């Protein structure tokens, strides 16, 4: 559990800028010896392998190494707090150096301690906060491991809170064995729900469908299942646009209708509204050509912004194989340092201020997710292309370290 506490804190700008991240990771893996800038710091830093990671540790270091009083330590905490002040930190740094010099802590030891404390002002985490977040991480990981259906349904219902887009969550869940059922007027509520061991996508994901319409659908369905498009339209008082959106994403499948037949019936029902036609069922025969599987996937992304069907990359896998593109799931078979070619939908673009201009892309194909690392000069050369293109092919060098796989782009 304490590893999780450390993980929450160690990716903050403070530890990264203070050059604390890599030393801790190397020591945690047993590749580097645990050392201390001064013997007096061992009781304070022993649990974090000699690396200061938490705000509480920095305050104790100031008191132990520089003789700060409780009041001076509180002033340091405020200077490192929410409203960070470089001016106040500059004054405190002078007092730190004076106190350490008085105690015989000089040279490299003093520089290490000062750098740790001043860089922490960029944003460090209290250990108590890290522990609180780590508890959420542990609980989430437990749910994902033992109750994945409930886990993914809850994440989808929490959207837009969360890191990954719903389309990515669905695909990640499917790769882990979770079944997802698409939106359906006879089965879906507003929110996603557990249904016979699967996640039923909620009506909230139908782009343009309001909560009031979804509530009407659920209320009427609970009285009796819908039998055809006219029954649905009349009982729920849905507009032709709402009916069309539902038909387009396959939400009328339980009425025994393909998407194109449903779209045809919706247009027919919309044109025959009124008491004269109330008891007339819509014409089932449709002159429209049926959708292919790719058409349905495209319709899902357009109308739901996700799909329970095949991943888009699956449709171009044959062409990618001809081009020598390696699926994400097969990267493990290739060696560290090997030249590879990968392709996928770009689901995350990150350019942290602490990364010295490097850009990190998370790419997804039908087999999994991977990270691509782009040098600053390469990013500047292809900036518009990288930022705007939804699907990329990347050639580069495979990097394997501590169980993680990435591609350093060329």
């Amino acid at each position: 559990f304490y590893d999780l506490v450390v993980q929450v804190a160690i990716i903050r700008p403070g530890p990264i800028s203070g050059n604390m991240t890599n030393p801790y990771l190397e020591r945690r893996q047993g590749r580097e010896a645990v050392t201390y800038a001064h013997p007096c710091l061992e009781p304070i830093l022993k649990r974090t392998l000699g690396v200061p990671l938490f705000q509480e540790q920095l305050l104790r270091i100031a008191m132990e190494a520089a003789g700060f009083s409780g009041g001076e330590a509180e002033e340091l905490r405020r200077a490192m707090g929410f409203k960070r002040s470089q001016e106040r930190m500059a004054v405190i740094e002078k007092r730190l150096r004076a106190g350490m010099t008085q105690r015989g802590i000089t040279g490299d030891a003093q520089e290490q301690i000062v750098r740790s404390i001043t860089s922490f002002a960029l944003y460090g985490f209290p250990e108590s906060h890290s522990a609180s977040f780590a508890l959420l991480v542990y609980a989430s990981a437990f749910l994902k491991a033992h109750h994945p259906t409930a886990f993914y349904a809850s994440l989808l219902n929490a959207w837009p809170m969360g890191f990954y887009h719903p389309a990515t969550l669905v695909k990640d869940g499917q790769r882990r064995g979770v079944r997802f059922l698409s939106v359906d007027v006879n089965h879906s509520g507003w929110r996603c729900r557990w249904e016979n061991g699967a996640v039923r996508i909620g009506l909230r994901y139908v782009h343009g469908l309001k909560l009031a319409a979804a509530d009407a659908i659920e209320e009427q369905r609970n009285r009796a299942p819908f039998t055809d498009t006219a029954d649905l339209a009349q009982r729920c008082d849905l507009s032709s646009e709402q009916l069309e959106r539902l038909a387009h994403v396959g939400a009328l499948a339980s009425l025994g209708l393909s998407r194109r037949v449903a779209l045809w019936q919706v247009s027919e029902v919309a044109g025959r509204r009124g008491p004269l036609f109330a008891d007339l069922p819509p014409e089932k025969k449709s002159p429209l050509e049926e959708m292919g599987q790719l058409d349905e996937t495209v319709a899902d992304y357009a109308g739901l912004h996700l799909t329970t069907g095949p991943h888009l990359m699956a449709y171009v896998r044959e062409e990618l194989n001809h081009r020598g593109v390696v699926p994400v799931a097969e990267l493990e078979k290739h060696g560290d340092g090997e030249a590879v070619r990968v392709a996928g939908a770009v689901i995350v673009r990150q350019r942290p201020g602490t990364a010295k201009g490097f850009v990190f892309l998370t790419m997804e194909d039908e087999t999994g997710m991977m990270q691509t690392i782009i040098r600053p000069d390469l990013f500047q050369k292809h900036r518009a292309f990288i930022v705007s293109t939804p699907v990329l092919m990347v050639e580069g060098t495979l990097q394997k370290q501590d169980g993680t796989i990435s591609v350093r782009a060329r």
Side-chain angles (χ1 to χ4, degrees):
F1 179 78
Y2 199 71
D3 278 337
L4 296 179
V5 179
V6 169
Q7 280 183 292
V8 171
I10 204 168
I11 60 167
R12 305 292 161 177
I16 293 173
S17 298
N19 194 29
M20 305 171 201
T21 303
N22 286 334
Y24 181 88
L25 296 176
E26 291 298 303
R27 294 175 186 190
R28 183 65 181 82
Q29 294 296 334
R31 293 190 291 255
E32 180 181 301
V34 176
T35 59
Y36 302 92
H38 191 270
C40 71
L41 304 184
E42 183 173 354
I44 303 170
L45 301 179
K46 186 174 182 178
R47 195 175 188 187
T48 55
L49 310 181
V51 180
L53 297 176
F54 302 112
Q55 190 181 88
E56 294 91 336
Q57 290 176 312
L58 274 297
L59 302 183
R60 290 179 60 196
I61 288 173
M63 297 175 75
E64 185 68 32
F68 271 38
S69 65
E72 287 175 318
E74 172 63 16
E75 187 178 343
L76 173 60
R77 185 193 66 78
R78 289 177 179 174
M80 294 190 299
F82 182 69
K83 295 182 179 179
R84 299 166 189 84
S85 169
Q86 291 185 343
E87 293 80 7
R88 291 170 69 182
M89 284 302 301
V91 173
I92 291 172
E93 181 180 338
K94 291 181 180 178
R95 286 157 57 187
L96 280 169
R97 290 186 181 278
M100 284 189 284
T101 300
Q102 189 175 357
R103 282 164 175 72
I105 302 175
T106 58
D108 288 342
Q110 185 178 118
E111 293 302 321
Q112 285 186 44
I113 294 172
V114 169
R115 184 173 64 247
S116 298
I117 294 176
T118 54
S119 65
F120 219 80
L122 292 172
Y123 193 66
F125 235 40
E127 186 176 21
S128 55
H129 289 195
S130 295
S132 298
F133 278 109
L135 183 59
L136 295 177
V137 173
Y138 188 91
S140 299
F142 183 91
L143 288 172
K144 186 175 182 180
H146 299 286
H147 305 281
T149 302
F151 174 78
Y152 284 100
S154 299
L155 280 183
L156 290 169
N157 285 335
W159 178 259
M161 185 190 77
F163 188 75
Y164 291 108
H165 190 276
T168 296
L169 295 175
V170 170
K171 292 304 161 199
D172 185 66
Q174 287 176 328
R175 288 190 292 268
R176 297 173 188 276
V178 177
R179 290 190 303 120
F180 289 83
L181 306 174
S182 194
V183 176
D184 192 287
V185 293
N186 272 322
H187 300 285
S188 294
W190 174 250
R191 291 159 60 84
C192 299
R193 58 176 59 167
W194 187 95
E195 183 180 314
N196 298 324
V199 178
R200 172 69 71 176
I201 301 298
L203 290 164
R204 69 183 293 243
Y205 279 102
V206 180
H207 187 60
L209 190 72
K210 302 299 182 185
L211 175 60
D215 285 345
I217 291 171
E218 189 166 13
E219 180 184 352
Q220 289 297 321
R221 183 195 64 232
N222 289 339
R223 296 178 181 179
F226 300 112
T227 56
D228 56 38
T229 51
D231 182 40
L232 172 66
Q234 290 160 6
R235 286 167 56 189
C236 301
D237 193 27
L238 299 178
S239 68
S240 57
E241 182 182 1
Q242 291 170 328
L243 288 168
E244 188 174 316
R245 290 179 185 276
L246 290 167
H248 193 243
V249 298
L252 307 187
S254 61
L255 305 181
L257 306 176
S258 68
R259 299 194 196 202
R260 288 275 164 77
V261 172
L263 284 166
W264 176 256
Q265 288 196 9
V266 163
S267 66
E268 192 180 32
V269 167
R272 304 193 322 176
R273 285 285 176 92
L276 289 175
F277 305 104
D279 296 325
L280 290 177
E283 178 62 48
K284 290 185 180 292
K285 190 174 181 180
S286 164
L288 303 177
E289 184 181 347
E290 290 294 347
M291 287 187 181
Q293 195 171 39
L294 176 58
D295 296 323
E296 291 187 354
T297 300
V298 172
D300 284 346
Y301 279 111
L304 298 172
H305 298 170
L306 57 82
T307 183
T308 58
H311 193 285
L312 275 173
M313 296 300 295
Y315 294 102
V316 292
R317 178 53 57 192
E318 185 176 352
E319 171 65 21
L320 294 176
N321 289 339
H322 287 315
R323 297 193 186 194
V325 173
V326 182
V328 170
E330 295 185 14
L331 288 174
E332 290 186 355
K333 301 176 184 178
H334 294 258
D336 182 44
E338 187 176 333
V340 293
R341 182 181 290 178
V342 294
V346 182
I347 58 174
V348 179
R349 294 174 177 86
Q350 293 177 294
R351 194 184 187 190
T354 53
K356 300 178 181 177
F358 279 83
V359 175
F360 303 91
L361 303 181
T362 303
M363 296 167 57
E364 178 190 61
D365 68 10
E366 74 275 27
T367 70
M369 290 186 284
M370 56 152 293
Q371 189 173 77
T372 300
I373 305 168
I374 302 176
R375 303 188 314 270
D377 62 318
L378 191 62
F379 176 69
Q380 291 302 327
K381 184 178 179 181
H382 302 288
R383 183 188 182 100
F385 183 70
I386 292 170
V387 168
S388 63
T389 307
V391 180
L392 290 174
M393 183 186 299
V394 178
E395 292 182 0
T397 304
L398 190 65
Q399 294 185 337
K400 291 184 172 182
Q401 184 177 10
D402 299 332
T404 65
I405 296 178
S406 59
V407 173
R408 193 177 182 92
R410 284 206 304 263

